């Protein structure tokens, strides 16, 4: 499925200058996106913006889809760094229920903010198992800290599933829910899963 | 998104002979799939199997993707008929919790059985809001019958989300869960959502 994309956990180490070039191209791509949206994101435009040849962009990212996946990976890495060592409540230091709710709010935000990019990158990104694996491990650990018993691996994937972009689109665009209602609904779901067994 | 596909609720009424021809082509396609898998499902092969010209298959389904979507719609219609008027516990007559668990088991089975077809049809099928809308309405009604309070629309979409093919693939192929563990996990999730408020 996702074997053609640079997966987060399988990204090979880069030489320092290669990493710097890659970062410059990603910055140019992010600026293009910010100004003109995902349609403006072409290999030509990124090359022109970064002042390199188009061949360089192709060598680095393989395709427009590869470039978009790299942009998404970059945002994902920043988000993961926030979970691992950023400020609470997303990062360490807050009680586990606060961290879990902050997790949901930040995934919701990330997916809606990057919706156009996620859809343009194709379904391969949505099924990026390296990304899902990290989120699932994080939620599993928090559920354990909250004293939830049972198949925590299953429950973690089930709590993450409604935060995926297609489900959010269904709820907001087709179901007429506001983002606030979606987050309130997810928080309610979490509380139902976590409350003490009776 | 899905505007190019024949959506379940928007299928226009067909003349009786057109419906019969369509049914014969779908039967031919289903037989091909059953014997040789989704790769064998080409417009040429379906035309040969049904004894019609290739042009007829194209006129009827537009493209190979359209044919696959029609096959999925056909299975979906059969499943919906089972929910509306089939035998319990999926159909009417069983207590709502039994119906809800039968709903989950049958969606799990349907998605895993049709996995190759769903993936070949592209993400448009997976985001088929007409299909999601029917399932969501059904689960919402059952949650109401079970006395669940809160945003039942949200909870219904959240219970359906982990039954989608990408999540099932993550749990079974990447997470090493068995189908039995997945269904047990989903049943546990449902019981957590449904249990009396304390």
């Amino acid at each position: 499925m996702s074997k053609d994309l640079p997966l987060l956990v399988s990204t090979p180490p880069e030489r320092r200058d290669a990493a710097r070039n890659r970062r410059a191209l990603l910055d140019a791509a992010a600026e293009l996106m910010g100004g003109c949206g995902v349609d403006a994101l072409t290999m030509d435009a990124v090359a022109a913006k970064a002042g390199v040849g188009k061949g360089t962009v192709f060598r680095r990212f393989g395709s427009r889809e590869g470039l978009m996946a790299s942009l998404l990976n970059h945002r994902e890495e920043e988000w993961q760094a926030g979970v691992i060592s950023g400020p609470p409540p997303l990062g360490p230091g807050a009680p586990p229920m606060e961290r879990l709710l902050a997790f949901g709010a930040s995934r919701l935000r990330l997916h809606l903010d990057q919706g156009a990019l996620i859809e343009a990158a194709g379904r391969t990104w949505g099924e990026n198992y390296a990304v899902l694996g990290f989120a699932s491990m994080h939620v599993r650990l928090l559920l354990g800290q909250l004293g939830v018993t049972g198949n925590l691996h299953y429950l973690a994937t089930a709590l993450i599933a409604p935060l995926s972009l297609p489900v959010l689109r269904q709820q907001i665009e087709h179901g007429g829910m506001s983002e606030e209602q979606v987050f309130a609904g997810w928080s309610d779901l979490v509380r139902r899963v976590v409350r003490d067994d009776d």
Side-chain angles (χ1 to χ4, degrees), chain A residues 8-198:
Chain A
L8 219 49
V9 297
S10 64
T11 306
E14 284 176 307
R15 291 209 337 271
R16 191 163 301 189
D17 56 343
R20 200 165 41 229
N21 290 342
R22 188 170 162 277
R23 181 58 188 263
L25 288 170
L26 286 178
D27 285 345
E31 257 187 76
L32 274 171
M33 284 271 305
C36 315
V38 71
D39 288 341
L41 197 68
T42 64
M43 303 300 257
D44 277 322
V46 171
K49 184 99 186 165
V52 301
K54 191 173 163 182
T56 304
V57 186
F58 271 100
R59 262 196 309 284
R60 184 62 65 183
F61 300 106
S63 65
R64 183 169 179 257
E65 200 172 72
L67 169 64
M68 294 189 288
S70 292
L71 265 177
L72 287 166
N73 272 344
H74 184 60
R75 282 292 306 270
E76 184 70 26
E77 282 170 348
E78 290 176 336
W79 177 84
Q80 290 187 5
V83 170
I84 293 167
S85 60
L90 182 62
M97 181 53 105
E98 280 181 41
R99 291 196 74 191
L100 188 47
L101 295 178
F103 163 87
S106 68
R107 291 310 292 183
L108 182 74
R109 192 69 269 140
L110 193 70
H111 289 161
L112 292 178
D113 281 351
Q114 314 234 83
L117 191 55
I118 292 171
E119 281 169 351
R123 73 167 164 174
T124 321
W125 172 260
E127 296 170 16
N128 188 321
Y129 294 110
V131 169
L132 288 171
F134 177 89
S136 154
M137 183 187 63
H138 178 56
V139 172
R140 194 158 72 235
L141 292 172
L142 292 175
L143 291 176
Q145 289 169 22
L146 286 161
V148 177
T149 55
N151 186 340
L152 299 192
H153 185 180
Y154 183 90
L155 289 174
T157 58
L159 287 177
I160 292 166
L163 299 169
S164 73
L165 188 62
V167 179
L168 296 175
R169 290 253 193 261
Q170 183 199 359
Q171 293 165 337
I172 294 170
E173 288 166 27
H174 296 255
M177 289 186 223
S178 67
E179 287 183 37
E180 291 68 28
Q181 286 172 321
V182 168
F183 182 63
W186 192 78
S187 305
D188 177 45
L189 176 70
V190 165
R191 291 200 191 89
R192 286 171 189 267
V193 166
V194 166
R195 62 185 163 179
D196 290 339
D197 290 74
D198 37 14

